[in-house]
Structure formats: C-alpha cells, structure tokens
C-alpha cells in the first residue's frame, strides 16, 4: 500500500505524517490529541505544550494498557468458554453412545422376553 502524506495541526503546530492509514483517520487522531492537550492546558494554564503532550501521552498509554488487559481477559474467557463447550460436546457424545447401547440392550432383552 502506498504511503500518504497527511497534515495535522496540534496546538497551533502543523505536522506532516507519512502513513498507510486513511487520511481521515489520521486527521481524527490529530483532532483528538489537539483537543486533549487543550483540555489539559485549560485546566492548568501554567503547563508548557511539552508538559501537556507528556500528560496526554501518559493518559493514552494508560488507556492502551487497560484496553489491552481487558482484551486479553476477554480472550482468556472466550478460550475457557470454548474449552467448556468442547468438554460438554464430548460428554454429550459419550451420553448419546451410552443411551444407544442401553436402547440396544433393552431391545435385546425385550426380544428374549417375547421368545
């Protein structure tokens, strides 16, 4: 895929980004970061742009790690559910075979009784 050059503006500074991603997606990311930095700056006007950027980066790193942990937890739960499902299917198959065996035995005993 061909890389595209996308320009985004964050806190008044323009950045040229070379990306494989959709331009609209990269622009949305820029708008998000710009908005986050402005919110932090409004809450504490004494912070520099770099300090605001570091706080946004920390917040995003925290969100990313928590999302990864949640996804890992969901994967583990799904794996457990799939294992439980496979175990239950095997138990059902064993029970069906036992039912068939018992039905054959009942049928044989009825034949013996009727003879």
């Amino acid at each position: 895929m061909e890389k595209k050059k996308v320009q985004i503006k964050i806190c008044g500074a323009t950045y040229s980004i070379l990306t494989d991603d959709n331009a609209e997606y990269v622009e949305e990311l820029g708008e998000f970061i710009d908005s986050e930095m402005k919110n932090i700056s409004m809450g504490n006007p004494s912070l520099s742009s770099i300090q605001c950027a570091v706080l946004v980066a920390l917040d995003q790193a925290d969100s990313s790690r928590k999302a990864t942990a949640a996804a890992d937890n969901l994967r583990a739960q799904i794996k457990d559910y799939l294992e439980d499902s496979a175990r239950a299917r095997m138990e059902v198959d064993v029970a069906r075979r036992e039912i068939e065996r018992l039905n054959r035995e009942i049928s044989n005993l009825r034949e013996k009784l009727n003879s």
Side-chain angles (χ1 to χ4, degrees), residues 95-108:
R96 280 189 184 136
R97 284 192 297 269
E98 180 66 9
I99 289 169
E100 289 172 8
R101 186 189 69 74
L102 291 171
N103 281 334
R104 281 193 305 272
E105 190 175 325
I106 289 170
S107 193
N108 289 338

Side-chain angles (χ1 to χ4, degrees), residues 75-89:
R75 280 187 205 96
Q77 286 180 358
I78 289 170
K79 182 181 174 206
D80 290 345
Y81 293 148
L82 289 173
E83 289 170 357
D84 289 348
S85 173
R87 208 172 10 262
R89 281 191 198 119

Side-chain angles (χ1 to χ4, degrees), residues 17-35:
I17 309 294
L18 197 58
T19 182
D20 289 330
D21 291 323
N22 184 309
E24 289 81 23
Y25 173 74
V26 175
E27 289 166 357
E28 286 176 12
L29 290 176
E31 290 170 7
F32 174 76
I33 298 299
D34 183 58
S35 172

Side-chain angles (χ1 to χ4, degrees), residues 4-112:
K4 299 175 273 304
K5 188 176 185 180
V6 180
Q7 289 195 338
I8 59 174
K9 200 170 201 171
I10 299 173
C11 290
T14 301
Y15 299 90
S16 293
I17 309 294
L18 197 58
T19 182
D20 289 330
D21 291 323
N22 184 309
E24 289 81 23
Y25 173 74
V26 175
E27 289 166 357
E28 286 176 12
L29 290 176
E31 290 170 7
F32 174 76
I33 298 299
D34 183 58
S35 172
E36 291 293 302
M37 287 183 65
K38 284 179 181 172
N39 286 340
I40 289 173
S41 179
M42 280 191 252
N44 194 341
S46 65
L47 294 176
S48 70
S49 291
I50 291 174
Q51 289 171 319
C52 289
V54 168
L55 291 174
V56 169
L58 284 171
D59 185 53
Q60 291 308 302
D62 177 53
S63 294
S64 174
R65 284 209 173 169
K66 287 177 180 172
T68 299
D72 289 344
N73 184 39
L74 288 173
R75 280 187 205 96
Q77 286 180 358
I78 289 170
K79 182 181 174 206
D80 290 345
Y81 293 148
L82 289 173
E83 289 170 357
D84 289 348
S85 173
R87 208 172 10 262
R89 281 191 198 119
M90 286 191 307
E91 290 172 2
V92 165
D93 287 343
V94 168
R96 280 189 184 136
R97 284 192 297 269
E98 180 66 9
I99 289 169
E100 289 172 8
R101 186 189 69 74
L102 291 171
N103 281 334
R104 281 193 305 272
E105 190 175 325
I106 289 170
S107 193
N108 289 338
L109 291 172
R110 282 185 179 151
E111 285 177 16
K112 285 182 182 179

